[in-house]
Amino acid sequence: MPEIIFLWLGLLCLGYFVGIARYVGWTSKFPIVWAGLGAGLLLTGILILTENLSKKAELLCCAMGILLLVSVVVVVAVIVSVMFLPVEPDLDYLVVLGAQVMGTRPSLSLQYRIDSACEYLKENPGTRAVLSGGKGPDEGISEARCMYEEMLRQGVDREQLILEDRSASTSQNIEFTRNLLKEKTEREEGTEGRARRLKVGIVTNGFHLFRGMAIARKKTDWQVYGIGAKSNVFLLPNYLFREFFCVIKDKLVGNL
């Protein structure tokens, strides 16, 4: 019985890897994890089936598989629990977290974030948005600049937009934006601004919302709210699996 489970899961992982490669190409290295996981599961299943694996090794593989599965389910359940939060109106600021830029155009994930931010800013004209994201090695412009230009095209008032174009990770998105808003609030509001807790909404895809909000709560004194943008349904398992590792990593390094 265990060998059948390993074989089917291995084929499923390899099939999903091929599907991702055909659907979006090689825009990200993470899907290789699905290929490696699938190959490992298939090999384990074959070794059990051909009785080339000792009972002790078989039990160890089963235990490791169950541990990984339970860990992923628990973390993903926490991530999913904040994906559909109600939207808080009249926030002081939005922080729109950057994502991959394809040349000078937003990737689909980034476009979803832009669309959600634009909708909110038009409905709440008193809110301003920090567009946070630097320029990666394969990107023609910074993520912040890409978001800025696309939001202007969608009719958002440029006075509502602030660029933060140095960050290269979610943690830096929050840290650099925190410093920027602290200076801006003190300059505009003085002592009163220093004492006031800003109401800030984190705008990102639903699968990324838990980590973005958790880092913001850890590293700032903001009142943190979440605004979850759409995600590509086919790629959602890939995004959630990647977030599992990102959450573990950020927890270990003290970002959460």
Side-chain angles (χ1 to χ4, degrees):
M1 182 62 177
E3 64 272 19
I4 302 301
I5 295 174
F6 278 109
L7 289 170
W8 274 109
L9 287 176
L11 289 172
L12 188 63
C13 289
L14 287 173
Y16 188 54
F17 165 72
V18 172
I20 293 173
R22 290 177 64 87
Y23 187 62
V24 296
W26 299 101
T27 57
S28 169
K29 295 178 181 177
F30 183 80
I32 295 173
V33 171
W34 291 100
L37 181 61
L41 289 167
L42 271 179
L43 178 60
T44 303
I46 291 169
L47 290 174
I48 295 174
L49 187 64
T50 57
E51 299 183 349
N52 286 314
L53 206 62
S54 68
K55 276 294 179 185
K56 189 174 182 180
E58 181 181 335
L59 288 173
L60 179 61
C61 289
C62 290
M64 290 175 62
I66 292 171
L67 179 62
L68 176 62
L69 180 61
V70 171
S71 300
V72 170
V73 168
V74 170
V75 173
V76 167
V78 173
I79 292 170
V80 171
S81 71
V82 302
M83 284 178 64
F84 306 102
L85 293 173
V87 176
E88 180 77 12
D90 300 319
L91 296 171
D92 295 310
Y93 291 95
L94 302 181
V95 180
V96 190
L97 303 182
Q100 187 178 27
V101 172
M102 314 294 289
T104 60
R105 301 296 299 163
S107 61
L108 185 58
S109 289
L110 185 56
Q111 186 65 57
Y112 285 147
R113 300 179 193 191
I114 292 169
D115 293 343
S116 291
C118 287
E119 181 181 356
Y120 188 94
L121 291 171
K122 290 176 182 178
E123 293 176 355
N124 299 271
T127 300
R128 288 182 284 182
V130 178
L131 314 178
S132 180
K135 179 180 176 297
D138 299 322
E139 296 174 330
I141 57 176
S142 71
E143 295 163 8
R145 174 59 60 178
C146 179
M147 289 189 279
Y148 179 79
E149 293 181 357
E150 180 62 26
M151 287 186 182
L152 291 183
R153 274 194 288 270
Q154 292 196 31
V156 174
D157 185 347
R158 69 178 66 245
E159 295 300 318
Q160 289 180 274
L161 304 177
I162 304 164
L163 275 68
E164 183 289 295
D165 59 3
R166 297 184 299 117
S167 53
S169 67
T170 303
S171 179
Q172 287 185 357
N173 288 147
I174 300 301
E175 290 174 3
F176 294 173
T177 299
R178 176 197 63 200
N179 296 339
L180 186 156
L181 290 183
K182 182 179 179 182
E183 294 174 4
K184 186 174 182 62
T185 304
E186 289 181 357
R187 185 171 62 250
E188 293 178 354
E189 302 180 25
T191 306
E192 183 179 333
R194 285 198 298 270
R196 185 167 67 89
R197 288 185 68 199
L198 296 174
K199 294 173 64 177
V200 177
I202 306 299
V203 182
T204 187
N205 307 99
F207 63 83
H208 188 218
L209 197 57
F210 167 75
R211 190 157 58 96
M213 292 176 65
I215 292 174
R217 285 173 175 150
K218 173 85 172 186
K219 293 181 175 289
T220 76
D221 62 352
W222 301 335
Q223 298 179 62
V224 178
Y225 300 87
I227 300 173
K230 291 193 300 184
S231 304
N232 182 288
V233 175
F234 178 72
L235 296 175
L236 187 57
N238 180 62
Y239 293 143
L240 289 171
F241 195 34
R242 184 181 65 189
E243 275 299 296
F244 164 74
F245 292 105
C246 291
V247 167
I248 299 300
K249 183 265 293 181
D250 275 327
K251 184 65 176 177
L252 290 175
V253 301
N255 288 332
L256 300 180

